[in-house]
Structure formats: structure tokens, C-alpha cells
Amino acid sequence: MNSPSPKAARRRHPQARPLLLAAALGLAALGARAGEVEVLHWWTSGGEARAAQALKATLQAKGHTWKDFAVAGGGGDSAMTVLKSRVVSGNAPSAAQIKGPALQEWAREGVLSPIDDVARAERWDELLPKVVADQMKYRGSYIAVPVNVHRVNWLWANPEVFKKAGAKPPTNWDEFFAAADALKKAGVIPLAHGGQNWQDLTLFEAVALGQGGPEFYAKALVQLDPAAIASPTMEKVLATFKRIKPYTDKNAPGRDWNLATGLVIKGEAGMQIMGDWAKGEFLAAGKKPGRDFVCLAAPGAVKTFSYNIDSLAMFALKKDANVKAQKDLAAAVMGAEFQESFNLAKGSIPVRQGVKLDRFDDCAKASAADFAATAKAGTLLPSIAHGMAVSAAAEGAIKDVISNYWNSERMTPADAIKRLLAAAKMR
Ligand code: GAL
């Protein structure tokens, strides 16, 4: 059926004219403020993509155009390389996933833009833990918005595989090796691993925290204190780390982290040590926590928490409509609704304080409780493998040493320590 002409409609409904006018004005207003948001991220795996979709839907609901700028590669090294070339050529996106101390490094380049008006209107100072708020600011101004809190030192296990192997989920490193032996005997890969440098460092920091303890971790991997790096504890941690290798499979080199998670999901491997973005993969595969998979603190790490906070840094833009879209992005990301929907898919917990966790699973509830408890006890620590602890240069150099050590037949813990001491100077 043809739609009636506005004139005919007005004849039947005299009030239609003002209504039509208002609708037209509304559309014009929406058109004027609608902009484009381009967000650089590396959320391309099953669970990550579901979370990124929540971000896209939120912005589209506000009338903006979403331009996806996804650069695949866990841990984000490739994404950072692409971002640098885009910014250098004067073509920065609206926002990019930039985290930890790197936020300050980018802000010093003068390419980020303050979003204090949004932060003030949305009361971010009241809604964020102070340590997080401080990290999002450069010279007192917000230049980034935090998305979530990931816990990095988790162990994910397939309970059915453990049952078949007669193995007990480990709580410390001795138990880890006992379980790994039982799993090996049962013919499954004990530990699903992907041999990429950031995954090697993720595993290494779990050993450093679980075996060396929080004080050692803070001194050696956050403060980069030479005495802690050269200590007998570091030697022990390096030896334990290397002892894990025979419990990984020969196809591990180069494997993406989500494919490693896939091995646990399928029951081909018993465990994975990885941040809770891995939970996003289990959930995306329709698996239920507590039934199909379990989350445990990484061995020896019960009272510690290594965190990884995803955040979106805001770049200076020229077009007013795009600036408006960018501000809407920032406001939406800190909104309670988005913090719930995004983090349910991502495996993380909301960074905004006071969001109800009713719809979250027990792993997320445990994470939130441990986050609060470790913050109080002083054992809440930044993940070095995920850009939270040290400069990008030092992190990169340490990553290389740890991967070389993991892959080398000849390098001893003492050799690795010598190289770590040199890497730590790259501040
Ligand atoms: C981390 C990032 C997470 C997750 C992971 C794997 O660095 O913070 O959001 O995506 O990499 O790609």
C-alpha cells in the first residue's frame, strides 16, 4: 500500500503537521550530531568478538556509524604496530585499546584528547577505584576510559578430563606437576599453551607470582629491582617455568591463545593458564562454569591477583560530529548497562564500582571478591605481560628474554637472569 501524502494525512489529522515537523527536526538533530567512531582493538576471537559487538551496538543505538578497526593478534602487539603507523600518517582512529603506562607514553606525544567534560558529567572519579582513575589521566585530565578488569593469574581446567585421569586440580606448583603427570599418563596434553612471546610471559608471571610470592613479583617485575631479578628466588622461578615445557605439546609454537583454550574445551588438554578472556571462549562455545570447566587461581596464587585493565584512549579529532561520537563512546563505556553486557561476554568484571553482579557467574564473582580483598591486602598486582606494569620498551625486552629462554635448549636460569638485568634497563 502507498503511504498517504503528508497533505492527505494533515487533512485527516489536523495535529499531524506539528508532529511531522517535530519528527523532521528530530531526525535533522540526530543527523547533525551523528558521527563516526573508529575503534582500534584486537578483540577477534569468539568471546572477544561477542564483547566487541556489544560496543558496536551501543554506539549504533546512539545513531553513530561504527567503523571497526580490528587487528588480530592476542596481546595486541600487531595492533600497536598498525596504530603507530596510522597515527604517524596523521590518520588516528577515534579511540584505541591502549593500556597501563603506555597511556602516558601516548599522551606525552600530544596525540590524545582530554575528555574531562564527560568524566565530570558521568562522575567517573566517584565510580572508579583511585588507582584506575589515576592511570586514565594525564596531567590530571582523563584521556582514556577503562572498560573492565581482567584477572590474569587463572588456571582453567576441564573437570571431565581430570576425572578420567584421576587427577586433582592443583593449588600449588607441586600439585600442578603431580596433576600434569597424571594427565600425561592418561594421554592428554597436560597444559594447553600457545608459544607466542606474550603467552610465554603470561605463564612466566603466573609462576613468578605463585611461587615467588607478591613481594618478589612486585620487586622483580614491577619495580625491576636488579637485586630481586638476580635473586635465588628468580632462579627457582625460572627453573619451575622451564619444567612446565615438557607438559605442553609439540604444536604449541605459534598457536593462538584461543586455539589453546579450544583444546581444553574439547578435552584434548587438561588445563590452560590464561587471563579470564579465556572464559569468554568457554562461554561462546556454550560451556557452563563449574560443570564443563572450572576456574582456579593459578597455582600458589590464591591470595594474589594480577590485573589487566582494558581501556580506550581518545585521540584528538577534527570533525565536531566525530568528537561528539567519541564523547558518546566514552560515556557509554562507563555506563552500567555497557559494563554489564560487555563484561558478561568478555570474561572480565566491570571496572565501574557498584554494578550488580547478579547476572555474572561464580568465576566473575570470585574475581570481584579477590580484587577487593587483594587491593586491601596489598597483593593486587599489575600484569607485566599485559602492559600494566612497566614501559612498553622494558616489557618488550623482557618478553623476548623469557621466550628465548623458554625455547632454548641451552640457556640456563643464570643466563636468563643476565639478560633480564639488561632488559630491565630499558625503562
Ligand atoms: C589482552 C587484552 C585482553 C584480551 C587478551 C587476548 O592483552 O587486554 O582484552 O583480549 O589480550 O587477546
Side-chain angles (χ1 to χ4, degrees):
M1 197 177 88
N2 289 338
S3 32
S5 72
K7 233 180 185 171
R10 268 201 313 276
R11 263 199 309 272
R12 258 171 288 145
H13 305 284
Q15 78 280 29
R17 186 178 201 151
L19 277 182
L20 283 174
L21 195 67
L25 280 175
L27 278 179
L30 195 66
R33 59 182 280 282
E36 182 185 87
V37 251
E38 185 180 23
V39 180
L40 171 103
H41 61 90
W42 57 91
W43 297 324
T44 54
S45 76
E48 289 175 325
R50 282 170 79 211
Q53 178 59 32
L55 188 57
K56 174 178 171 181
T58 304
L59 267 294
Q60 284 177 334
K62 291 184 180 295
H64 300 303
T65 310
W66 169 267
K67 198 167 161 200
D68 204 33
F69 186 5
V71 180
D77 286 347
S78 317
M80 284 304 110
T81 309
V82 176
L83 178 65
K84 274 174 205 151
S85 67
R86 278 277 305 263
V87 176
V88 165
S89 63
N91 185 20
S94 320
Q97 145 93 324
I98 297 177
K99 309 181 289 175
L103 283 168
Q104 308 301 313
E105 296 173 22
W106 279 93
R108 271 198 295 274
E109 296 295 319
V111 290
L112 302 184
S113 178
I115 42 167
D116 290 319
D117 45 351
V118 180
R120 230 174 290 118
E122 303 284 329
R123 301 182 297 114
W124 290 4
D125 274 344
E126 292 161 48
L127 293 169
L128 289 173
K130 189 171 180 312
V131 270
V132 180
D134 287 347
Q135 201 156 56
M136 301 299 132
K137 291 177 186 173
Y138 176 66
R139 295 194 177 144
S141 281
Y142 278 97
I143 38 85
V145 59
V147 183
N148 59 7
V149 178
H150 272 302
R151 180 177 187 171
V152 181
N153 59 341
W154 280 117
L155 181 142
W156 307 92
N158 182 320
E160 207 185 297
V161 170
F162 265 74
K163 205 165 147 206
K164 271 194 205 141
K168 188 171 134 291
T171 60
N172 57 43
W173 287 101
D174 287 340
E175 289 179 11
F176 172 88
F177 289 110
D181 280 330
L183 291 164
K184 202 170 195 176
K185 239 196 217 141
V188 291
I189 304 164
L191 186 75
H193 184 64
Q196 296 175 344
N197 63 4
W198 71 271
Q199 292 187 65
D200 297 339
L201 189 55
T202 300
L203 182 59
F204 176 76
E205 76 176 34
V207 180
L209 190 48
Q211 191 175 53
E215 231 174 89
F216 163 76
Y217 180 97
K219 279 197 183 133
L221 298 180
V222 183
Q223 294 149 26
L224 303 180
D225 166 30
I229 293 176
S231 67
T233 308
M234 179 61 96
E235 215 165 309
K236 205 166 130 200
V237 164
L238 282 161
T240 303
F241 171 62
K242 199 61 181 281
R243 201 181 143 198
I244 299 172
K245 200 167 177 211
Y247 297 98
T248 63
D249 67 317
K250 65 173 188 344
N251 295 324
R255 177 190 283 138
D256 287 331
W257 67 271
N258 52 317
L259 300 183
T261 311
L263 294 175
V264 182
I265 293 176
K266 285 182 285 184
E268 290 172 26
M271 328 176 246
Q272 182 183 22
I273 290 179
M274 184 52 66
D276 43 23
W277 45 93
K279 192 182 75 185
E281 294 307 296
F282 284 102
L283 299 178
K287 302 296 175 192
K288 293 250 168 323
R291 188 189 73 187
D292 306 316
F293 69 95
V294 291
C295 54
L296 303 162
V302 180
K303 292 202 166 72
T304 63
F305 189 119
S306 63
Y307 68 83
N308 170 23
I309 293 175
D310 287 326
S311 50
L312 298 176
M314 303 294 155
F315 282 86
L317 302 173
K318 287 187 195 97
K319 280 194 189 149
D320 285 352
N322 293 349
V323 171
K324 172 77 178 92
Q326 182 188 53
K327 289 188 173 168
D328 281 355
L329 166 77
V333 163
M334 265 293 285
E337 219 176 283
F338 174 83
Q339 289 275 321
E340 187 186 63
S341 61
F342 182 89
N343 288 307
L344 279 171
K346 190 72 166 63
S348 37
I349 54 171
V351 65
R352 176 185 166 125
Q353 303 300 281
V355 175
K356 284 216 176 70
L357 293 181
D358 301 1
R359 293 182 58 211
F360 285 78
D361 56 41
D362 289 346
C363 299
K365 285 179 186 145
S367 180
D370 291 349
F371 183 74
T374 54
K376 224 171 170 185
T379 53
L380 174 66
L381 291 155
S383 161
I384 178 166
H386 294 278
M388 294 288 116
V390 299
S391 72
E395 182 191 325
I398 290 170
K399 240 186 232 167
D400 286 347
V401 176
I402 293 301
S403 278
N404 286 340
Y405 171 67
W406 176 259
N407 291 314
S408 158
E409 305 270 308
R410 285 186 305 272
M411 209 165 149
T412 63
D415 296 334
I417 285 176
K418 256 187 236 146
R419 297 197 195 179
L420 281 175
L421 285 168
K425 289 197 183 121
M426 306 268 305
R427 284 164 197 251

